[in-house]
Amino acid sequence: MNFFTYKDRPTPLILLMCFFVFTDLHAAVTSEQAEQLKNELTPLGATRKANVDGSIPAWGQDHYDQVSHSKWLREIEKEQPLVIINYENMENHKAHLSIGLQKLLTSYPDTFNIPVYPSHRTAKYPQWLYDNAYKNATDAKISPSGEEVTFAWPGIPFPIPQNAKEVIWNHQLRWKGLFFKLHTIESIINRNGSFNLIRNTLEVYSVYHNINRPRKIDDWRYTYYLSYIKAPSRIAGGAYLSHETMKPVINPRQSWIYLAGQRRMRRSPVVGYDAPTFTSDGLRMMDEIDMFNGALDRYNWELKGIKEMYIPYNNGVLQQALLNKEDVLTPHHINPQFTRYEKHRVWVVDSVLKPGKEHIYKRRTFYLDEDTWGIMLADIYDESDRLWRVPQRYAVFYENVPVTLTALDSFSDLKKQNYYIQGMPLGQIEHFDTPPPKGYFSPTTVRQRMHR
């Protein structure tokens, strides 16, 4: 793959990145380097200026108020594709396609295509997150192993990352809202196109983003996560609760399972890594929730660089179409008619399973959007180093938060020729600007709520 050599970055950053890609230092950047977040780089660490040919525009979110930003999003949804990449013309576009997208084009030449639209850098965040990213550049710390994050202000901990693990921690600790409830649909879409929907509710509190959170070295919880099934009735009532950790090796996540039939909340063994999620029939692992989560200790991580790529982006049309699932959930993959891809700069991170460690995935390559730090695509390889699965995140901007999250995540299995989805139809997110009541995510309180 042809990666940038950071020629579009200012000279100090070129030297910084080239140095740290090949070292294992974990100190914060200097105050002089952090100043780049106020001029050459965006407040979260992306390149401000456009690319050479203008196909990726300059960042200008500081010029949009909420009304004009909302109007802009509505105009984007009316656009037509610049090009539709298919099996016949993919050779002309391979430089900007992930290995996984190329494989989907060759595996399903008659049905899969990639509609490429004009690129728009629509990610917009509250000013306090920008301010905290600037402070984190010099204040946030990571352990020598890269497994623990400390002294981070609420927000992106490493806006000028020095290694692959800091990039992945940026993904895990990015802004997703303070306290929100998502009403999702989930399903396995079989090879013949048949599927049965599961309706699930997720409640998430990012205590890390509580601006009143004390910044202490012993902080370890960063997210409280609760998932419970609403339908179909034959499996409804069960729940999974977890307390996510910024120190997953020292303080592993804590998790509990609510058994509806017994009306009991039972402490669960640590659930993570390659344990299958409860509703995916093995098509998504626990560490693939939110595309990747949890401890980094089973893999060797390498920062490959920054690359211009086509990624799913601004998928408002797809989110509206989810109200009519049969049109969207077609055999083998999401109906391309409703998808939107744009060219963006992405951080490319490769992970290879360590000798002696266990995971069903031998290698994974992640592609993270520079403006949001969210993973948008991944290539996943089996133990024989063959491409196996292709996760995609169809990102969309949620104006009421504000945040860029997902309209739908899909996980394509190239061997079984089926895929799993988790999506949020339009209007199915509730966001709250204040934290939940104290103890809301305690096992006792959750059991009482589930019982009612």
Side-chain angles (χ1 to χ4, degrees):
M1 302 180 75
N2 297 319
F3 297 101
F4 289 125
T5 57
Y6 304 99
K7 64 183 179 181
D8 292 332
R9 299 261 182 166
T11 301
L13 188 60
I14 297 175
L15 298 175
L16 177 72
M17 292 303 302
C18 289
F19 175 73
F20 281 115
V21 164
F22 296 103
T23 64
D24 193 31
L25 301 181
H26 300 275
V29 302
T30 66
S31 57
E32 290 77 15
Q33 292 160 347
E35 286 300 306
Q36 293 172 102
L37 299 172
K38 297 183 177 181
N39 39 69
E40 292 94 345
L41 304 180
T42 72
L44 297 189
T47 300
R48 283 184 184 258
K49 64 183 180 181
N51 65 346
V52 175
D53 64 8
S55 56
I56 299 174
W59 182 83
Q61 289 311 292
D62 46 352
H63 302 308
Y64 285 91
D65 58 26
Q66 185 174 355
V67 174
S68 59
H69 191 271
S70 178
K71 182 179 179 181
W72 181 28
L73 292 174
R74 302 290 81 77
E75 292 300 317
I76 288 173
E77 293 176 356
K78 299 175 185 177
E79 293 177 338
Q80 297 300 312
L82 299 173
V83 63
I84 296 178
I85 303 173
N86 55 35
Y87 176 71
E88 299 296 330
N89 64 8
M90 65 176 286
E91 289 295 325
N92 300 327
H93 304 277
K94 286 180 71 172
H96 303 301
L97 293 173
S98 68
I99 299 299
L101 289 181
Q102 294 178 43
K103 187 63 175 179
L104 289 173
L105 287 168
T106 57
S107 297
Y108 310 114
D110 298 326
T111 57
F112 184 73
N113 59 63
I114 301 170
V116 178
Y117 287 77
S119 298
H120 300 283
R121 299 174 69 176
T122 50
K124 182 178 176 66
Y125 296 96
Q127 183 62 44
W128 64 268
L129 284 169
Y130 296 151
D131 296 339
N132 282 356
Y134 176 77
K135 291 189 290 187
N136 276 336
T138 56
D139 290 359
K141 299 293 188 294
I142 192 168
S143 65
S145 68
E147 304 300 337
E148 289 83 39
V149 178
T150 59
F151 294 118
W153 299 91
I156 295 298
F158 308 110
I160 305 177
Q162 302 169 16
N163 52 60
K165 288 186 176 182
E166 290 188 355
V167 171
I168 296 299
W169 272 116
N170 282 348
H171 164 77
Q172 297 203 68
L173 297 178
R174 76 196 189 283
W175 169 250
K176 298 183 283 289
L178 177 63
F179 173 36
F180 54 93
K181 182 182 293 188
L182 310 175
H183 303 284
T184 68
I185 57 172
E186 301 179 35
S187 188
I188 299 163
I189 292 79
N190 300 308
R191 293 176 62 176
N192 61 5
S194 63
F195 61 88
N196 294 299
L197 284 183
I198 296 171
R199 298 189 182 275
N200 205 8
T201 296
L202 309 178
E203 296 184 16
V204 183
Y205 168 41
S206 178
V207 64
Y208 171 75
H209 287 104
N210 183 344
I211 58 175
N212 296 316
R213 176 184 69 92
R215 203 166 124 267
K216 301 182 301 182
I217 193 170
D218 60 347
D219 286 348
W220 64 271
R221 293 180 179 88
Y222 75 87
T223 295
Y224 295 92
Y225 174 92
L226 174 65
S227 170
Y228 50 96
I229 298 172
K230 305 292 288 185
S233 58
R234 60 183 173 81
I235 58 173
Y240 171 72
L241 170 69
S242 71
H243 296 176
E244 300 299 307
T245 172
M246 289 191 287
K247 301 179 181 181
V249 175
I250 298 173
N251 293 308
R253 70 159 50 107
Q254 296 179 357
S255 55
W256 297 262
I257 296 175
Y258 176 71
L259 304 173
Q262 302 175 18
R263 297 182 177 180
R264 290 180 54 204
M265 199 78 181
R266 189 172 66 187
R267 182 69 180 265
S268 168
V270 176
V271 180
Y273 300 110
D274 56 354
T277 56
F278 303 118
T279 55
S280 68
D281 195 26
L283 291 177
R284 182 179 71 164
M285 302 300 109
M286 290 298 293
D287 67 4
E288 292 180 284
I289 295 174
D290 193 32
M291 301 297 278
F292 180 83
N293 73 89
L296 286 65
D297 61 322
R298 294 193 181 180
Y299 287 85
N300 289 316
W301 298 82
E302 181 183 2
L303 181 59
K304 306 294 287 189
I306 295 176
K307 193 175 190 296
E308 294 180 3
M309 296 184 64
Y310 296 128
I311 58 176
Y313 220 92
N314 291 315
N315 275 277
V317 170
L318 173 61
Q319 188 168 51
Q320 295 176 44
L322 284 176
L323 298 173
N324 299 306
K325 292 84 175 171
E326 291 76 10
D327 295 335
V328 176
L329 305 180
T330 50
H332 307 307
H333 51 75
I334 299 299
N335 188 341
Q337 173 186 343
F338 302 105
T339 65
R340 178 189 180 107
Y341 293 76
E342 299 178 3
K343 185 190 290 184
H344 288 261
R345 284 179 288 247
V346 299
W347 294 85
V348 183
V349 174
D350 206 36
S351 61
V352 179
L353 192 63
K354 292 179 179 178
K357 295 290 186 178
E358 294 185 356
H359 200 291
I360 65 169
Y361 300 148
K362 178 181 178 181
R363 180 162 64 96
R364 291 189 273 192
T365 302
F366 298 103
Y367 306 92
L368 295 86
D369 169 40
E370 68 166 342
D371 287 326
T372 66
W373 293 102
I375 295 172
M376 298 296 180
L377 293 170
D379 301 330
I380 297 180
Y381 298 81
D382 65 15
E383 60 183 8
S384 300
D385 214 26
R386 294 175 300 181
L387 187 68
W388 181 9
R389 290 175 173 171
V390 185
Q392 297 189 68
R393 164 153 287 182
Y394 294 91
V396 69
F397 187 82
Y398 289 81
E399 299 170 70
N400 61 327
V401 179
V403 68
T404 298
L405 282 176
T406 181
L408 180 143
D409 292 348
S410 71
F411 298 80
S412 299
D413 190 302
L414 297 170
K415 297 178 183 179
K416 295 182 178 179
Q417 297 187 327
N418 61 355
Y419 64 106
Y420 164 83
I421 64 98
Q422 182 178 56
M424 288 179 287
L426 189 66
Q428 296 302 302
I429 180 172
E430 304 172 63
H431 181 255
F432 308 94
D433 294 324
T434 57
K438 186 176 181 179
Y440 187 83
F441 285 93
S442 72
T444 300
T445 302
V446 169
R447 184 189 65 80
Q448 293 171 346
R449 287 197 285 137
M450 294 298 100
H451 179 57
R452 291 196 296 268

